[in-house]
Amino acid sequence: MSGIQKFACWTLAAIVLGGIALSIIVPADYTVQFRETPNAVPTHQHLLGTDELGRDRLARVLYGTRISLLLAPAAAFLSTLMAALIGVVSGYFGSWCERLALAVTDLVLSLPWLFLMLAVRAVLPLNVSPLTSVVITFLLLGLLGWAASARVLCTGTRVLRNSDFILQARASGLHGFRLLAVHIIPNLKPVLYAQFLISVPVFILSEANLGILGLGVAEPLPSWGSLLRELEGWGGFSTEPWKLAPMLLLILVVSCFQVILAREEVSA
Amino acid sequence: MKRRSILAFLIFVLVLTRVLSYAQSGDELRFYLRSDPKTFNPLLVADDASETIRYLTGGVLVRVNRQTQQLQPELATAWKLSKDGKSISFNLREHVYFSDGTPFSAQDVAYTVQHLMDPAVHSPTGDSFRSGSGEVRTDVPSPNRITISFPAPVAGMDKLFDHVAVLSSRSPKQEMAVLGPFYVADYKSGSYVLLKRNPNYWKRDSAGRQLPYLNSIRMDIQSNRDIEELKFRRGEIDLVNSLDSEYYDRLASTSAKLLHDAGPSLDSEQMWFNQVGNAPIPAYKKEWFRSTNFRRAISLGINRADLCRVVFALHARPAVGPVSPANKFWFNTKLQPQSFDPASALRFLQQDGFRREGSTLRDRDGHPVEFSIITNSGNKYRERMTTMIQLDLGNLGIHVNVVTLDFPSLIERITQSFNYEAALLGLVNDDLDPNAQMNVWLSSAENHQWNPSEKSPETNWEAEIDRLMRAQPDEGAGVGH
């Protein structure tokens, strides 16, 4: 691991730990509305000022960081798991199984995911708590985001299936799921790891996009997406630089993932 | 809340009128339309862009002065409403010509009215005149006189003619021949609409000079508000239509001299509970929503002053009722807005058997009081309002879930499936007369949001509103000029 990759890992760890630890020492709750001071500039009481409803921006950024950084990897894990299940099984068994899986994958890839998310959100029950809504949002992202990874894993499995060492393993009497578990999946680990790392920033950005449309995490729970909406009426860098905090965090986290990912792609 | 749309259409018209008055001859006025006009036929107008074109090009018999809210003569020099409110007679201006040179007469008014009321035309403007079944008759005793008779009284009939641009019965150009100050000279879909000065426009200023002063108006199609703001600041466009409070304050900080706060608009934001009998929501919640005490408690528990101050930066004011203070004719100045009074709210709730258990309010059967408020996603003002309402009602022990939905899903829920509990949306109103809101207030109306299309009024207060709304058309008979 190069120096810059180590730095990226440490930065990510610092952001996650900071999100957890700092929210304990920030005096204001992220839901409290200081209605006498909406859109306040940074002060000792509110280090990043207040938002348009008078809520402490630092508390919201930290809580939003915690939500985005805990749930995006969870959604990435779910989607990678689904991709592994579909991609590896179809790639290993080949024939009609592979054709069917790839057809379904192509179908899912061709769906307009944003409209699909809107449609799915519209049919969900209305009376769900904000925390449940955020879990649902990331769960949907995870359930809908497996297709591209499944294609990559299917191709990787097919290559392995036809390789010499697998042929030798077969000749030695190893078949079926034991062959999968002992030889194929361990050799796909770098690909799985890379797909997981690719998915994390994609889901963070997807939630942010949904949040900008007002369809992500329900109020009063903050997320990076909902925090980024403040930039719609941004007064400019010279007048309100503190409003850029959630965007800088998002850029930093996504960049860190990309730096770490570069190594994993090489390894894969 | 009555929003001060700083330049909502009504105000836009006011400013436009001023701009047109002060502009020097030979100038071109430039501003943006948010979307393409859907039609140039003035009888089919149903969108803002087409309405703007109609206002600038259409010649009408009478015009409501947007500032004084009084009717003024235009193509009609005088008019008289019958006592039964069913017919109206106009004396028409002489020596008036359409933009293509064809002369204007009572035959053109008769032709316009027949088209307006033709069911096959589906004119939204014509819907306002439809008060009963039967034929609309036009009687033309001379080229400069016409009497129009409707089968039943039409509320605010004379004011409704403000929206009726007269068509030519003889021009080969049909609706493109106009009697207003400008005519449509060029239109490129998605790009611009160019209006040019009508050389035959009848109106003159006090010095006898023919109006309008402007040679042309160019309206580029631009939906991006940021680009519009930038162009306005650079002086590349001359006016902006419909400013919201944030936009207004941003401009005020840099270009205060360019702004004119024309006061409240006729629009409002409102929240209602689903009271539809067969709505797919639990029976105990329906009982809450149909309880006057519950609804009154919710009303008392919402801090409207904070909503106006925090969400709209004081460019809104707490509403007294459905009539805006901008409506000088119908607004009752003696009424006071609902005060914020959580203690009284709890008293009303206790009368219905609600009780606090810790931080949760429960009904008499022990159900925790929880409901969702839906609003349209992407509207930051409504999202902020629901978040503030969520906190206000949370202080009463009521758990509110804020749900933002895309607009089609929202409309489907409030008009088709009725699968929602409470909603927060706005009412856009461009008419001073309450008759224009008949489709909202009548219990039998489709847009009677909280319980549409009732076969008969399901509550006494709805029956009373029905009675009053049906009685008010009879108030309108009178004479003008």
Side-chain angles (χ1 to χ4, degrees), chain A residues 89-125:
Chain A
V89 169
S90 61
Y92 178 69
F93 289 106
S95 182
W96 65 268
C97 181
E98 185 178 350
R99 284 199 299 276
L100 179 68
L102 290 180
V104 172
T105 305
D106 287 344
L107 181 71
V108 173
L109 281 172
S110 67
L111 290 174
W113 70 269
L114 181 61
F115 294 104
L116 193 66
M117 287 289 292
L118 295 180
V120 173
R121 181 66 191 88
V123 297
L124 285 174

Side-chain angles (χ1 to χ4, degrees), chain B residues 208-227:
Chain B
R209 186 176 166 194
Q210 190 188 26
L211 296 175
Y213 300 127
L214 289 168
N215 271 343
S216 60
I217 299 178
R218 184 185 171 91
M219 292 165 282
D220 289 322
I221 317 292
Q222 177 57 264
S223 59
N224 188 312
R225 304 298 302 265
D226 294 326
I227 292 175

Side-chain angles (χ1 to χ4, degrees), chain B residues 399-410:
Chain B
H399 188 81
V400 174
N401 295 308
V402 175
V403 182
T404 56
L405 295 171
D406 60 300
F407 210 70
S409 304
L410 182 83

Side-chain angles (χ1 to χ4, degrees), chain A residues 35 52 122 127 214 219 229, chain B residues 309 383 401 404 413 421:
Chain A
R35 293 184 179 177
E52 69 279 351
N127 261 324
E219 289 280 2
R229 292 194 70 192
Chain B
R309 188 172 50 78
E383 288 173 17
N401 295 308
T404 56
R413 281 182 186 265
E421 292 172 346

Side-chain angles (χ1 to χ4, degrees), chain B residues 203-422:
Chain B
K203 202 181 269 188
R204 292 175 182 275
D205 66 10
S206 54
R209 186 176 166 194
Q210 190 188 26
L211 296 175
Y213 300 127
L214 289 168
N215 271 343
S216 60
I217 299 178
R218 184 185 171 91
M219 292 165 282
D220 289 322
I221 317 292
Q222 177 57 264
S223 59
N224 188 312
R225 304 298 302 265
D226 294 326
I227 292 175
E228 188 177 33
E229 182 186 340
L230 188 70
K231 298 274 187 183
F232 182 71
R233 281 185 174 161
R234 285 182 184 169
E236 292 176 28
I237 56 172
D238 301 305
L239 63 89
V240 176
N241 187 13
S242 294
L243 288 173
D244 61 31
S245 57
E246 276 188 10
Y247 196 174
Y248 180 87
D249 285 343
R250 278 210 304 273
L251 279 176
S253 64
T254 55
S255 328
K257 286 182 182 173
L258 297 173
L259 293 172
H260 172 64
D261 184 346
S265 72
L266 299 172
D267 302 346
S268 60
E269 297 290 330
Q270 52 196 228
M271 174 183 151
W272 71 87
F273 287 103
N274 182 359
Q275 296 175 53
V276 177
N278 59 358
I281 54 176
Y284 63 89
K285 287 194 176 182
K286 281 182 200 168
E287 194 182 334
W288 302 345
F289 301 157
R290 286 182 165 232
S291 158
T292 305
N293 278 341
F294 180 83
R295 294 197 308 272
R296 193 169 286 166
I298 297 296
S299 185
L300 285 162
I302 295 172
N303 193 334
R304 291 172 175 75
D306 271 4
L307 292 181
C308 296
R309 188 172 50 78
V310 177
V311 178
F312 295 103
L314 292 175
H315 295 299
R317 61 178 69 171
V320 179
V323 179
S324 163
N327 192 338
K328 293 171 187 169
F329 188 76
W330 287 92
F331 182 68
N332 184 346
T333 52
K334 291 176 185 164
L335 294 175
Q336 291 299 313
Q338 177 83 68
S339 58
F340 172 58
D341 190 352
S344 298
L346 280 173
R347 275 198 297 278
F348 276 115
L349 289 167
Q350 281 162 358
Q351 285 174 22
D352 269 16
F354 290 90
R355 64 186 190 282
R356 284 289 289 262
E357 275 185 15
S359 60
T360 304
L361 186 76
R362 293 183 183 275
D363 67 7
R364 60 164 65 91
D365 297 323
H367 298 113
V369 181
E370 178 181 8
F371 60 83
S372 57
I373 303 177
I374 57 172
T375 191
N376 56 315
S377 60
N379 186 317
K380 56 188 172 187
Y381 296 103
R382 289 187 188 139
E383 288 173 17
R384 288 173 192 168
M385 286 170 75
T386 47
T387 307
M388 290 185 73
I389 290 169
Q390 182 184 47
L391 190 75
D392 284 344
L393 298 183
N395 293 332
L396 295 176
I398 298 171
H399 188 81
V400 174
N401 295 308
V402 175
V403 182
T404 56
L405 295 171
D406 60 300
F407 210 70
S409 304
L410 182 83
I411 295 300
E412 190 277 330
R413 281 182 186 265
I414 63 177
T415 61
Q416 304 286 321
S417 67
F418 305 116
N419 187 8
Y420 73 100
E421 292 172 346

Side-chain angles (χ1 to χ4, degrees), chain A residues 77-93:
Chain A
F77 179 75
L78 177 67
S79 75
T80 309
L81 198 67
M82 288 182 64
L85 193 70
I86 295 165
V88 173
V89 169
S90 61
Y92 178 69
F93 289 106

